[in-house]
């Protein structure tokens, strides 16, 4: 067939917002060509050609709706953005090269010198670096708050507070912050709220519906879910994305590659079944660890003994694919346990089909001072288990056997 590829609206007209979320994860955003391919095409191209000079001119004047350059937009990336936006209930989304690119852009895109940012201390280490070290270099001051105490958020607000940032459930302690209440506090001074929703996944928590203005993901985690590609995404209203993100992304260039977008797009199709299964497994692991003599503390969102069970009940639709627990014997106990695992591998990553274990105090949170870790509840014996897609009984056997080494 020699006819040029045309994206045909007729073949794509089926998905709609009336479908249930799982259906949207499979169908939304598909741009099918006239060849009628079942799986979405990978448009692995940097640029686009124009039929004539007038079309090139019109494209650059935004009078002809087409693609110009893949740093700005690409059909495969657009399919991923549309699909995740429809699932999240967001008007718009922009995909980025990594999760950190998404967080950096979501914050930097909103502020200018003289502005102020309030963030929870319990965020991923690199996010903390952006808020604490990087923004102040450009004249943007920041205040870090403990997170749970709403009065601390209230007290931190200033007339020039432009945005607030939090992560919930938190890494690695799986504590939960009240998105709706913090959004109200931010809006009270005209600030926005950005939520890093990585630990809950789009399946279990919808920050925009709770009042947040922007949601960010490292799609590297559950959205890929099989350890292949890095990626990130920023979601919000058309206005939020147009005012803060679109131009910054286009001009500074942390865009997602079409190949990675294609992997993420296919990842979304299985996100629902994977995250449900991984969550059920994590709940089963938590039950197996409950009152275990070698486990001094257990944190699992979804259990009635979780310290923020009331907030979880009002803002989350499901638990977590992760379990955090404290192994008896501090660092030595945690190391003995991790090294005795046969199936679960030691890694700092999460959300993968393969179960992974992390000792935060010596890896992801090693940069923090001991007193900062203590404040966040990250003890020397704490480990974070990301449950994969193995049979839950094999995982439980592995964990219980390894605890015998402690
Ligand atoms: C909560 C959270 N946010 C952001 C990131 C950064 O994502 P990426 O590694 O894709 O840049 C991570 C990565 O571990 C994370 O766990």
């Amino acid at each position: 067939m020699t006819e040029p590829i045309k994206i045909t609206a007729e073949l794509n007209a089926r998905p709609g917002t009336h479908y249930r979320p799982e259906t949207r994860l499979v169908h939304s955003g598909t741009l099918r060509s006239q060849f009628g391919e079942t799986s979405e095409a990978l448009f692995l191209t940097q640029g686009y050609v124009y039929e004539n000079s007038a079309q090139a001119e019109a494209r650059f004047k935004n009078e002809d709706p087409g693609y110009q350059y893949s740093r700005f937009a690409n059909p495969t990336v657009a399919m991923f953005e549309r699909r995740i936006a429809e699932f999240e209930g967001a008007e718009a989304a922009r995909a980025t090269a990594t999760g950190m690119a998404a967080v950096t852009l979501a914050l930097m895109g909103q502020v200018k010198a003289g502005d102020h940012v309030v963030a929870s201390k319990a965020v991923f280490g690199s996010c903390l670096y952006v808020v604490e070290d990087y923004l102040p270099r450009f004249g943007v001051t920041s205040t870090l708050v403990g997170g749970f105490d709403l009065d601390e958020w209230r007290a931190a607000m200033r007339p020039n507070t432009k945005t607030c940032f939090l992560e919930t459930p938190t890494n690695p302690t799986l504590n939960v912050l009240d998105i709706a209440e913090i959004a109200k506090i931010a809006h009270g001074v005209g600030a926005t709220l950005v939520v890093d929703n990585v630990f809950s996944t789009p399946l279990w928590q919808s920050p925009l519906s709770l009042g947040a203005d922007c949601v960010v993901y490292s799609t590297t985690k559950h959205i890929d879910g099989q350890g292949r590609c890095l990626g990130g995404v920023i979601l919000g209203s058309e206005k939020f994305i147009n005012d803060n993100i679109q131009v910054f992304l286009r001009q500074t260039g942390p865009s997602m590659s079409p190949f990675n977008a294609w992997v993420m797009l296919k990842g979304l199709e299985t996100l629902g079944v994977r995250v449900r299964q991984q969550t059920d497994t994590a709940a089963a692991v938590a039950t197996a660890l409950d009152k275990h003599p070698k486990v001094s503390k257990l944190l699992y969102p979804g259990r009635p003994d979780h310290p923020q069970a009331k907030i979880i009940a009002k803002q989350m639709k499901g638990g977590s694919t992760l379990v955090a627990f404290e192994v008896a014997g501090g660092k030595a106990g945690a190391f003995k346990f991790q090294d005795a695992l046969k199936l679960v591998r030691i890694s700092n990553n999460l959300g993968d089909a393969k179960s992974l274990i992390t000792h935060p105090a010596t890896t992801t949170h090693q940069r923090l001072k001991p007193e900062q870790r203590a404040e966040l509840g990250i003890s020397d014996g704490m480990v974070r288990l990301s449950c994969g897609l193995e049979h839950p009984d094999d995982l439980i056997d592995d964990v219980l056997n390894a605890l015998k080494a402690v």
Side-chain angles (χ1 to χ4, degrees):
M1 189 175 296
T2 51
E3 48 177 311
I5 291 181
K6 275 188 246 139
I7 300 291
T8 57
E10 307 81 68
L11 282 173
N12 301 308
R14 289 183 198 137
T17 45
H18 64 283
Y19 285 116
R20 290 173 183 79
E22 287 76 3
T23 308
R24 281 186 258 142
L25 275 180
V26 178
H27 291 283
S28 292
T30 301
L31 295 171
R32 197 160 272 141
S33 80
Q34 83 273 27
F35 302 129
E37 64 280 357
T38 312
S39 177
E40 295 74 6
L42 166 50
F43 290 93
L44 200 52
T45 182
Q46 299 168 339
Y48 306 85
V49 294
Y50 310 105
E51 277 171 29
N52 49 47
S53 317
Q55 190 187 45
E57 184 183 22
R59 203 63 67 85
F60 273 77
K61 283 181 168 168
N62 287 330
E63 288 166 359
D64 182 54
Y67 292 92
Q68 291 157 273
Y69 191 52
S70 286
R71 169 154 47 81
F72 312 163
N74 167 282
T76 310
V77 179
M79 286 191 253
F80 167 66
E81 290 171 340
R82 199 64 249 145
R83 188 168 292 176
I84 179 107
E86 285 196 14
F87 187 66
E88 189 77 41
E91 284 173 9
R94 288 294 175 275
T96 54
T98 64
M100 277 322 300
V103 172
T104 308
L105 213 67
L107 298 178
M108 295 278 288
Q110 294 187 74
V111 294
K112 59 180 186 332
D115 286 339
H116 174 242
V117 173
V118 181
S120 154
K121 282 180 197 165
V123 291
F124 176 61
S126 300
C127 302
L128 201 59
Y129 178 82
V130 171
V131 173
E132 248 191 324
D133 300 75
Y134 205 62
L135 290 178
R137 282 170 49 186
F138 298 93
V140 178
T141 50
S142 57
T143 305
L144 294 174
V145 293
F148 303 115
D149 183 356
L150 295 176
D151 283 336
E152 222 187 309
W153 285 95
R154 283 186 195 102
M157 297 296 152
R158 298 185 197 158
N160 61 338
T161 304
K162 189 79 189 187
T163 188
C164 298
F165 177 63
L166 65 85
E167 177 186 314
T168 182
T170 59
N171 176 22
T173 49
L174 308 182
N175 280 306
V176 174
L177 308 190
D178 193 326
I179 297 174
E181 288 304 316
I182 297 166
K184 273 187 223 155
I185 296 169
H187 296 162
V189 295
T192 59
L193 175 64
V194 178
V195 175
D196 183 336
N197 209 31
V198 162
F199 271 63
S200 105
T201 82
L203 215 66
W204 299 143
Q205 186 169 265
S206 310
L208 296 177
S209 72
L210 295 163
D213 303 275
C214 174
V215 184
V216 285
Y217 289 99
S218 163
T219 66
T220 313
K221 309 296 185 285
H222 302 85
I223 292 175
D224 175 326
Q226 290 165 75
R228 299 163 293 194
C229 293
L230 296 165
V233 68
I234 308 168
L235 299 116
S237 65
E238 288 281 359
K239 182 168 168 39
F240 182 91
I241 297 291
N242 286 340
D243 290 356
N244 305 298
I245 308 300
Q246 176 59 20
V247 176
F248 200 46
L249 178 73
R250 182 181 166 132
Q251 304 299 353
T252 63
S255 330
M256 180 180 271
S257 89
F259 180 79
N260 288 11
W262 183 80
V263 171
M264 301 302 171
L265 190 60
K266 304 314 285 178
L268 284 180
E269 292 181 357
T270 57
L271 182 76
V273 279
R274 284 187 288 107
V275 169
R276 264 176 221 287
Q277 176 63 51
Q278 287 169 274
T279 303
D280 289 351
T281 298
V285 170
T287 303
L289 290 175
D290 187 25
K291 303 198 175 57
H292 191 287
K294 306 270 178 67
V295 173
S296 46
K297 190 173 177 187
L298 174 66
L299 276 157
Y300 182 68
R303 282 176 63 82
D305 60 2
H306 189 283
Q308 294 91 38
K310 278 199 186 132
I311 304 175
I312 292 169
K314 79 171 176 156
Q315 84 179 22
M316 293 181 74
K317 293 176 271 223
S320 171
T321 63
L322 294 114
V323 186
F325 55 99
E326 237 170 59
V327 179
K331 178 181 165 186
F335 272 30
K336 273 190 206 150
F337 164 68
Q338 289 202 137
D339 293 343
L341 289 163
K342 298 267 187 296
L343 183 62
V344 181
R345 304 309 305 258
I346 300 170
S347 170
N348 47 297
N349 212 0
L350 62 105
D352 201 284
K354 296 181 172 64
S355 290
L356 303 171
I357 192 111
T358 309
H359 183 246
T362 53
T363 59
T364 51
H365 292 71
Q366 164 203 158
R367 197 173 72 91
L368 301 187
K369 296 189 188 87
E371 53 277 17
Q372 286 176 302
R373 280 199 295 274
E375 196 188 347
L376 294 175
I378 306 170
S379 67
D380 287 348
M382 172 166 280
V383 290
R384 184 196 75 193
L385 174 65
S386 167
C387 297
L389 288 170
E390 300 91 348
H391 194 287
D393 293 346
D394 286 334
L395 192 53
I396 292 169
D397 286 350
D398 197 33
V399 167
L400 294 181
N401 276 333
L403 280 171
K404 290 181 190 153
V406 176

